[in-house]
Amino acid sequence: MATKESSAGRQDFRSGFVAIVGRPNAGKSTLVNRLVGQKIAIVTSKPQTTRNRIQGIATKPQGQIIFIDTPGLHEADSALGRQMMQEVAAALEGIDVLLLMVDASRMHPHADELLLEKARRFSGKTILALNKVDRLPKPKLLPLIDAFRKAFEFAAILPISALEGAGCEELVDEILKQLPQGAPYFPEDQVTDQPERFLAAEIIREKAIQVMYHEVPYALAVVVEKYEETPKLLRIEALMNVERDSQKKILIGHKGEMLKKIGTEARKELETILGSKIYLGLFVKVSPDWREDPLRVRELDWRYQLEGLTSDLDDKE
Ligand SMILES: Nc1nc2c(ncn2[C@@H]2O[C@H](COP(=O)(O)OP(=O)(O)OP(=O)(O)O)[C@@H](O)[C@H]2O)c(=O)[nH]1
Ligand SMILES: [Mg+2]
């Protein structure tokens, strides 16, 4: 077996960046988690779960693939939506391969123009993954493959199941084939560029989305306000922003039961992921119509908060 040094130092080692782009709910984050081998991106059954681009790093003996998970493509009708679509545009800058993903179980056999447009604008190789094939009989797949093949010259079209794993190894091989030769960008054991603090906010959001309905999942933004590691436990305090008082009531629930349930689920999962005992404090705040306000959208973004944290640290020095 190749050692860390020998694999990374090999002449034929390949490395590069691959953006995963598709409609909401196609299974992009599910695929990233599977290929990275660890949960780094939240997944829910509701569309428009992912709001930021997140890098997931998969290091194999033959190469290192840095996947960029992106928000699902949709017609933006709010400041948040426009910010999400800007995230997709930014994710496409400087990548080596574009990976388009389609939920094959939902589509009528026609090629999705919104996706094809992304492929046409991209100068490098594009691979198409037809996801959720565990849900659809093979004969149904062929007209879909045909429609996409006629519409664009893909480097490869692969049926996969991000959930169950079918076709995923073939997909990795195909991506590696398209990447340039080069040294790894990240250490072999690094799986994401995302700070743990942001992952914590995302896991809390995931647990809330899973138990919420209608507008509440979309109106929710979670900000970790305190993240303190002590010898005994990790202390996390998070502020859950919603847009209206009615949403706040739903989120808190009767006698605080809903918030308690979300907190317990999030704490358990974070304890497993981060490997330490956690105290998790959740607070709910009404931030009226934050999704419509570009400034508020920016303030609730983790990179903005990270800038604030870094300048806080600078101030203390
Ligand atoms: N049956 C089946 N379900 C899948 C598969 N891949 C993903 N899903 C489910 O599809 C839903 C959406 O998955 P996500 O990974 O959150 O999709 P996404 O493309 O990241 O969605 P957005 O972040 O909203 O753009 C979840 O319920 C997943 O469990 C698959 O291969 N088969
Ligand atoms: Mg996602």
PDB file of all heavy atoms in Angstrom, residues 49 62 154 173 190 290:
ATOM      1  N   THR A  49     -31.489  23.712   1.065  1.00  0.00           N
ATOM      2  CA  THR A  49     -30.860  23.514   2.367  1.00  0.00           C
ATOM      3  C   THR A  49     -29.492  24.202   2.431  1.00  0.00           C
ATOM      4  O   THR A  49     -29.210  24.957   3.359  1.00  0.00           O
ATOM      5  CB  THR A  49     -30.716  22.008   2.654  1.00  0.00           C
ATOM      6  OG1 THR A  49     -32.020  21.443   2.748  1.00  0.00           O
ATOM      7  CG2 THR A  49     -29.951  21.753   3.939  1.00  0.00           C
ATOM      8  N   GLN A  62      -4.625   7.771  -5.713  1.00  0.00           N
ATOM      9  CA  GLN A  62      -4.277   8.321  -7.036  1.00  0.00           C
ATOM     10  C   GLN A  62      -4.398   9.831  -7.130  1.00  0.00           C
ATOM     11  O   GLN A  62      -3.943  10.427  -8.104  1.00  0.00           O
ATOM     12  CB  GLN A  62      -5.182   7.760  -8.147  1.00  0.00           C
ATOM     13  CG  GLN A  62      -5.523   6.304  -8.066  1.00  0.00           C
ATOM     14  CD  GLN A  62      -6.835   6.105  -7.307  1.00  0.00           C
ATOM     15  OE1 GLN A  62      -6.882   6.341  -6.117  1.00  0.00           O
ATOM     16  NE2 GLN A  62      -7.886   5.668  -7.981  1.00  0.00           N
ATOM     17  N   PHE A 154     -20.751  16.043 -22.886  1.00  0.00           N
ATOM     18  CA  PHE A 154     -20.209  15.806 -21.550  1.00  0.00           C
ATOM     19  C   PHE A 154     -18.982  14.899 -21.636  1.00  0.00           C
ATOM     20  O   PHE A 154     -18.917  14.049 -22.517  1.00  0.00           O
ATOM     21  CB  PHE A 154     -21.265  15.127 -20.665  1.00  0.00           C
ATOM     22  CG  PHE A 154     -22.397  16.037 -20.291  1.00  0.00           C
ATOM     23  CD1 PHE A 154     -23.599  15.998 -20.996  1.00  0.00           C
ATOM     24  CD2 PHE A 154     -22.262  16.951 -19.262  1.00  0.00           C
ATOM     25  CE1 PHE A 154     -24.644  16.843 -20.672  1.00  0.00           C
ATOM     26  CE2 PHE A 154     -23.306  17.807 -18.927  1.00  0.00           C
ATOM     27  CZ  PHE A 154     -24.496  17.756 -19.638  1.00  0.00           C
ATOM     28  N   ASP A 173     -13.366   7.840 -10.234  1.00  0.00           N
ATOM     29  CA  ASP A 173     -12.361   7.493 -11.253  1.00  0.00           C
ATOM     30  C   ASP A 173     -12.439   8.452 -12.432  1.00  0.00           C
ATOM     31  O   ASP A 173     -11.421   8.905 -12.955  1.00  0.00           O
ATOM     32  CB  ASP A 173     -12.584   6.061 -11.765  1.00  0.00           C
ATOM     33  CG  ASP A 173     -12.187   5.033 -10.699  1.00  0.00           C
ATOM     34  OD1 ASP A 173     -11.510   5.437  -9.726  1.00  0.00           O
ATOM     35  OD2 ASP A 173     -12.568   3.850 -10.843  1.00  0.00           O
ATOM     36  N   GLN A 190      -7.241  16.182   6.112  1.00  0.00           N
ATOM     37  CA  GLN A 190      -8.200  17.305   6.183  1.00  0.00           C
ATOM     38  C   GLN A 190      -9.413  17.012   5.291  1.00  0.00           C
ATOM     39  O   GLN A 190      -9.263  16.610   4.146  1.00  0.00           O
ATOM     40  CB  GLN A 190      -7.534  18.610   5.744  1.00  0.00           C
ATOM     41  CG  GLN A 190      -8.460  19.801   5.986  1.00  0.00           C
ATOM     42  CD  GLN A 190      -7.782  21.150   5.748  1.00  0.00           C
ATOM     43  OE1 GLN A 190      -6.559  21.257   5.727  1.00  0.00           O
ATOM     44  NE2 GLN A 190      -8.598  22.176   5.566  1.00  0.00           N
ATOM     45  N   TRP A 290     -35.248  39.386   7.502  1.00  0.00           N
ATOM     46  CA  TRP A 290     -33.806  39.439   7.250  1.00  0.00           C
ATOM     47  C   TRP A 290     -33.426  38.964   5.845  1.00  0.00           C
ATOM     48  O   TRP A 290     -32.453  39.434   5.257  1.00  0.00           O
ATOM     49  CB  TRP A 290     -33.012  38.664   8.319  1.00  0.00           C
ATOM     50  CG  TRP A 290     -33.224  37.166   8.308  1.00  0.00           C
ATOM     51  CD1 TRP A 290     -34.101  36.472   9.056  1.00  0.00           C
ATOM     52  CD2 TRP A 290     -32.539  36.205   7.495  1.00  0.00           C
ATOM     53  NE1 TRP A 290     -34.031  35.126   8.768  1.00  0.00           N
ATOM     54  CE2 TRP A 290     -33.075  34.940   7.815  1.00  0.00           C
ATOM     55  CE3 TRP A 290     -31.518  36.274   6.539  1.00  0.00           C
ATOM     56  CZ2 TRP A 290     -32.634  33.762   7.198  1.00  0.00           C
ATOM     57  CZ3 TRP A 290     -31.079  35.104   5.924  1.00  0.00           C
ATOM     58  CH2 TRP A 290     -31.635  33.870   6.261  1.00  0.00           C
TER      59      TRP A 290
END
